[in-house]
């Protein structure tokens, strides 16, 4: 009986040894070598796992960065993150202008007159499918906060007094999650322009002038005066709506003063420059003295 037990133990040990050897050979044959820099890059990323890059998370983004020639591809990386990643990968750090989310609507409850009261499910995605908005604009912000729910950085909140979302530029990382969550396309990521301010057509209403005026006090009517004023040809008018090209705009603010509807604004508001004082009229020239005989 004891001999049988010993044989069984030896047999099981030998079988285990053989299986372990097979597993080792298979593991060595099919193992995937991982670049050690992936862990370093992953640690250098912000770690928000916000999904703004389109990857499953920061780890997946790190793998893409190491394999790809582009430096980061991460929309929420700041200069410190970029510099650290560049050092790890032996690349030259690329400088990019900071960006921030911008709300392109001034309607809300301050510039529209409520025509109906919405008491349904509190979701912009749902509400936009059942009614145009309490003020009647079928393009403007609904103010139900889908953007605030999408933001993982606590950078955007709906102001209860205006009914419009407001972005905290110090917290915003320009990940674009709020822009993707907005069913009306009211939010756009643009250059931060901390020194000059962001000049933007704060309206997305594509209705013709009379219809746009009816639903909002500061709606764009597509008159084109802003485009005629712009010295850089940065403004185009299409589908009754003006749009400022962020790459061409130099923040001269001439269009702000030219707009008869106050549809163009500067963010933050304190960056709005006052209109230059009109030049004094030249004094009339004195009549020439009559020639002496």
């Amino acid at each position: 009986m004891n001999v049988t037990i010993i044989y069984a133990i030896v047999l099981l040990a030998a079988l285990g040894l053989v299986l372990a050897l097979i597993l080792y050979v298979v593991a060595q044959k099919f193992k995937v070598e991982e670049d050690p820099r992936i862990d370093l890059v992953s640690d250098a990323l912000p770690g928000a796992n916000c999904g703004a890059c389109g990857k499953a998370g920061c780890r997946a983004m790190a793998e893409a960065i190491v394999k790809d020639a582009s430096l980061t591809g991460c929309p929420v990386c700041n200069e410190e993150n970029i510099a650290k990643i560049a050092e790890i990968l032996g690349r030259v750090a690329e400088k990019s202008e900071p960006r921030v989310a911008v709300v392109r609507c001034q309607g809300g409850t301050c510039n529209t007159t409520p025509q109906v009261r919405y008491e349904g499910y509190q979701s912009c995605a749902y509400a936009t499918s059942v009614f145009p908005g309490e003020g009647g604009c079928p393009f403007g912000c609904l103010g139900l906060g889908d953007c605030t729910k999408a933001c993982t950085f606590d950078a955007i909140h709906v102001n209860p007094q205006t009914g419009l979302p407001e972005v905290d530029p110090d917290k915003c990382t320009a990940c674009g999650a709020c822009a993707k969550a907005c069913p009306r396309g009211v939010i756009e990521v643009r250059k931060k322009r901390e020194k000059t301010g962001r000049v933007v057509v704060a309206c997305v209403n594509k209705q013709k002038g009379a219809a746009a005026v009816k639903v909002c006090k500061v709606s764009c009517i597509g008159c084109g005066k802003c485009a005629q004023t712009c010295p850089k040809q940065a403004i185009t008018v299409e589908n009754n709506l003006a749009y400022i090209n962020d790459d061409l705009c130099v923040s001269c603010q001439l269009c702000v003063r030219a707009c008869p509807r106050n549809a163009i604004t500067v963010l933050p508001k304190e960056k709005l420059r006052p209109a230059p004082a009109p030049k004094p009229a030249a004094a009339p020239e004195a009549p020439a003295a009559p020639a002496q005989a």
Side-chain angles (χ1 to χ4, degrees), residues 106-107 109-113 212-220 260-263:
Q106 299 181 100
T109 58
C110 50
N111 287 309
T112 62
T113 302
V213 169
K214 187 177 179 180
V215 296
C216 184
K217 299 175 184 176
V218 289
S219 60
C220 175
R261 297 281 299 164
N262 295 318

Side-chain angles (χ1 to χ4, degrees), residues 1-9:
M1 185 67 180
N2 293 336
V3 175
T4 303
I5 293 175
I6 292 173
Y7 282 155
I9 293 173

Side-chain angles (χ1 to χ4, degrees), residues 138-149:
F139 297 93
C141 176
L142 293 167
L144 298 178
D146 285 19
C147 51
T148 64
K149 298 169 188 172

